[in-house]
Amino acid sequence: MTVAPETLEPIHVEIPKRFTVRDFPYWLAAIVLFIVGMMVLIAVGPEYRKSFDFVKLGIGFTLYTTALAFVISVIVGLFAALARMSRSVVARNIATFYIEFIRGVPMIVLLITFALVLVPDALAFVGVDKRFFDITHRGIIALAAVYGAFLAEVFRAGIESIPLGQTEAARSLGMTQRHTLRHIVLPQAIRNILPALGNDFIALLKDSALLSILAIREMTQMAKLYTGRSFRFTETYLVLVFFYLTGTLILSLLVQWYGRRIGTVAGSAKTVAAATGGAEPT
Amino acid sequence: MTGRAHSRSAALISIRGLHKYFGEIQAVKNVNLEVRRGEVVVIVGPSGSGKSTVLRCINHLEEPTAGVVEIEGEMLGDDDVDINEVRAEVGMVFQQFNLFPHLTVLENVTIAQKLVRKREKRESIEIAMTQLRRVGIPEKADSYPHQLSGGQQQRVAIARSLAMNPKIMLFDEPTSALDPEMIKEVLDVMLQLAREGMTMVVVTHEMGFARAAANRVVFMDEGQVVEIAPPDQLFSHPQHERTKLFLSQILAH
């Protein structure tokens, strides 16, 4: 018996058509079960209900700080990425300094330093009353500065993933560097990195809890305040977990859904390979 | 400024003393070439002979290490010459098509018209449709590039360049990435362009095209121009040993 003819056989990759017992997302069911269980406890348990009512007062601040910090960090991240890829030695070094500086310091230390020292000092330096930015907005600036450095690397990866031929084609038609970036490279790059941006938005939502150390009245701070006076630690922190988990679960399902959607629209060889690669028989 | 009137001769493209290094490697050595208005010049040679680099230096996608490229007497790299204005007059077609995948075929053909030529939307669409009819696929205007075959994509890429009304068209191995059955549809478009009097510089391995369309064929090897001659003469009576060797290798099969 020889081995050679077998290698000539076409390779059939079986793609399972229906869910099997092994494929069922039990982890997701467990998380949903936890969320539903918490809803029941909040509905019927008076102590859970009181914790819920208090912590929920922080939702507004959590969403506001997350959203504003994200918008700022996207803008900062984009410009830092462009500066890092720039031909200018000065721009490249400033951007790299910023990114590496941020990456080398724990986030909680950066938040304290930015909000309590750097932003007020910077305001004093330019002669503006430090109350111009309240503690909430100093916290937002701090979060945005940290995430701007993270997103700079995401944008850079996205821009570098666009083949050089795209730029060459645009420039050969007489388009300026700015036009090429804005109309050819960035639209494609941003579409590629949207799932990564979505995941960073989720991470930012979770990291907004760190603002509680600045006494900003977002959800975590509200939970701390409530336990300090009611001593209902179990109820309050389970409710807090419930809030974050519900939010991040919904967002991550949205990101996954979007990722699959652009995967099918693009129909590139890469996505097809990734899709079939996951189904290799064992 | 006085030198410009002098150099505004019959040559549309003038390359003088062109050298190009990539790091330590010298890709192009002292290339001199003039292309007259309406002329079709085909550059052939083994891979790595520097022919694509010469082509890419013509519109400064590659900056020459030394030497001069002039388009209509305008010296590229001069402070008072806007490279973007020059490139708008010099169309380029790439081996890998390089269509913009996030734009429809029509948008691919109109975007530079709008941004560079500052044409109104309606005018740019009319011109785009004229060019798409010229390359034979007006019905694909609303498709996306990935819905097209390689041959169709390359024809759209040609239409995209032609829509700028260029004075010169550069082709960088336009059929090398195509399946064999699609090569003819692209070459037919190029042949028609040549017959209509377009000034063309073409890097290709398609000797049939060179015979049919070229006024002159340039043979390059190891970064240098070895021989320039009309196609009949170059293919039938090559003067240099290296040309003979190259032709025997590619015409043997």
Side-chain angles (χ1 to χ4, degrees):
Chain A
M1 186 172 157
T2 52
V3 182
E6 260 179 78
T7 59
L8 295 173
E9 296 260 317
I11 299 156
H12 290 287
V13 180
E14 291 267 331
I15 298 163
K17 293 279 193 294
R18 62 186 172 81
F19 270 125
T20 66
V21 181
R22 290 173 62 93
D23 295 325
F24 186 78
Y26 297 102
W27 62 272
L28 184 58
I31 290 176
V32 171
L33 199 67
F34 171 82
I35 289 172
V36 172
M38 283 305 300
M39 284 174 169
V40 172
L41 284 174
I42 290 162
V44 302
E47 288 304 332
Y48 280 97
R49 177 81 207 186
K50 277 193 248 171
S51 302
F52 176 85
D53 284 340
F54 199 87
V55 173
K56 93 177 172 199
L57 298 174
I59 290 179
F61 265 110
T62 291
L63 294 182
Y64 176 70
T65 52
T66 304
L68 190 53
F70 188 71
V71 170
I72 298 170
S73 64
V74 163
I75 296 164
V76 170
L78 177 57
F79 281 101
L82 294 178
R84 191 158 188 194
M85 290 183 291
S86 142
R87 269 197 262 180
S88 151
V89 178
V90 177
R92 214 167 50 223
N93 276 283
I94 291 174
T96 312
F97 165 80
Y98 161 61
I99 293 164
E100 296 302 329
F101 186 98
I102 296 283
R103 289 210 299 197
V105 181
M107 197 182 306
I108 196 160
V109 176
L110 285 168
L111 291 191
I112 296 166
T113 313
F114 265 87
L116 300 183
V117 186
L118 289 183
V119 175
D121 285 358
L123 288 176
F125 185 73
V126 295
V128 179
D129 188 344
K130 70 175 181 182
R131 280 167 296 182
F132 183 76
F133 281 123
D134 62 14
I135 189 69
T136 306
H137 288 89
R138 282 188 246 154
I140 290 170
I141 291 171
L143 262 188
V146 173
Y147 267 78
F150 296 165
L151 292 184
E153 294 297 88
V154 173
F155 275 110
R156 186 164 73 108
I159 290 168
E160 284 177 351
S161 74
I162 305 305
L164 192 59
Q166 292 289 306
T167 303
E168 289 185 348
R171 298 306 303 273
S172 79
L173 290 163
M175 288 166 68
T176 60
Q177 195 177 5
R178 184 178 293 241
H179 279 151
T180 303
L181 188 68
R182 171 146 166 240
H183 295 278
I184 304 302
V185 176
L186 275 186
Q188 298 183 58
I190 287 172
R191 211 180 71 154
N192 287 352
I193 62 170
L194 268 180
L197 286 181
N199 287 328
D200 274 322
F201 183 80
I202 294 168
L204 182 53
L205 174 67
K206 292 186 291 177
D207 282 335
S208 71
L210 292 170
L211 294 176
S212 62
I213 53 152
L214 300 172
I216 294 166
R217 293 164 78 89
E218 46 69 61
M219 294 197 298
T220 306
Q221 175 66 7
M222 294 312 276
K224 279 160 73 181
L225 288 175
Y226 186 67
T227 54
R229 93 178 182 216
S230 70
F231 301 103
R232 291 288 177 179
F233 292 99
T234 311
E235 293 87 345
T236 309
Y237 284 119
L238 279 179
V239 163
L240 185 62
V241 168
F242 159 79
F243 272 122
Y244 282 115
L245 198 55
T246 308
T248 55
L249 183 69
I250 291 169
L251 287 172
S252 71
L253 289 175
L254 275 175
V255 170
Q256 278 180 38
W257 169 80
Y258 181 79
R260 271 200 297 272
R261 206 178 70 108
I262 60 164
T264 38
V265 170
S268 69
K270 208 156 122 197
T271 29
V272 173
T276 51
E280 73 179 333
T282 41
Chain B
M1 297 302 271
T2 45
R4 187 166 292 172
H6 166 72
S7 52
R8 204 182 278 275
S9 58
L12 195 50
I13 306 170
S14 176
I15 303 170
R16 294 193 300 273
L18 182 71
H19 291 265
K20 176 67 185 178
Y21 282 87
F22 292 108
E24 299 280 292
I25 299 155
Q26 187 165 14
V28 174
K29 292 174 198 167
N30 193 28
V31 165
N32 296 283
L33 181 65
E34 300 227 318
V35 180
R36 292 184 301 274
R37 202 174 297 274
E39 196 178 22
V40 176
V41 171
V42 172
I43 307 177
V44 301
S47 46
S49 58
K51 49 197 194 305
S52 282
T53 307
V54 169
L55 196 74
R56 290 161 58 85
C57 282
I58 294 177
N59 65 353
H60 265 217
L61 276 189
E62 302 289 357
E63 299 250 350
T65 311
V68 171
V69 176
E70 282 182 1
I71 309 283
E72 289 194 300
E74 307 254 315
M75 193 174 98
L76 274 61
D78 243 15
D79 287 341
D80 57 345
V81 173
D82 181 349
I83 186 65
N84 294 318
E85 281 175 20
V86 174
R87 282 175 178 156
E89 306 294 338
V90 183
M92 187 167 204
V93 175
F94 300 85
Q95 183 177 353
Q96 299 296 339
F97 329 136
N98 294 346
L99 292 182
F100 307 130
H102 61 301
L103 302 178
T104 64
V105 165
L106 187 65
E107 289 164 342
N108 264 278
V109 186
T110 54
I111 186 164
Q113 294 190 61
K114 286 185 226 167
L115 294 175
V116 181
R117 292 285 192 221
K118 312 288 181 203
R119 287 175 185 153
E120 296 296 323
K121 188 178 176 186
R122 214 174 123 181
E123 188 193 2
S124 68
I125 290 176
E126 275 172 22
I127 292 170
M129 291 311 295
T130 305
Q131 296 305 337
L132 286 173
R133 276 192 289 276
R134 190 171 178 184
V135 300
I137 37 175
E139 74 280 5
K140 297 288 184 187
D142 295 322
S143 302
Y144 280 89
H146 71 89
Q147 297 169 315
L148 271 52
S149 72
Q152 290 171 330
Q153 288 192 47
Q154 193 61 299
R155 285 188 282 155
V156 171
I158 295 172
R160 177 173 69 177
S161 287
L162 291 176
M164 300 293 287
N165 305 108
K167 293 175 177 146
I168 301 162
M169 286 286 285
L170 308 176
F171 291 84
D172 189 3
E173 302 201 28
T175 58
S176 296
L178 293 175
D179 291 334
E181 71 271 22
M182 292 168 187
I183 290 175
K184 187 175 178 297
E185 67 189 55
V186 171
L187 290 180
D188 284 347
V189 170
M190 291 168 60
L191 271 172
Q192 192 194 332
L193 260 184
R195 282 194 209 104
E196 290 168 9
M198 175 64 77
T199 308
M200 294 163 65
V201 182
V202 183
V203 170
T204 187
H205 295 292
E206 297 293 332
M207 298 303 148
F209 174 81
R211 272 183 197 281
N215 299 105
R216 285 185 297 157
V217 178
V218 177
F219 173 67
M220 283 187 69
D221 193 19
E222 295 179 349
Q224 290 171 308
V225 171
V226 176
E227 190 166 348
I228 303 180
D232 289 342
Q233 195 181 320
L234 190 111
F235 290 128
S236 313
H237 308 288
Q239 299 297 306
H240 293 262
E241 282 307 314
R242 282 194 283 179
T243 318
K244 285 176 193 166
L245 183 66
F246 173 73
L247 290 173
S248 71
Q249 279 165 342
I250 60 158
L251 297 176
H253 52 76

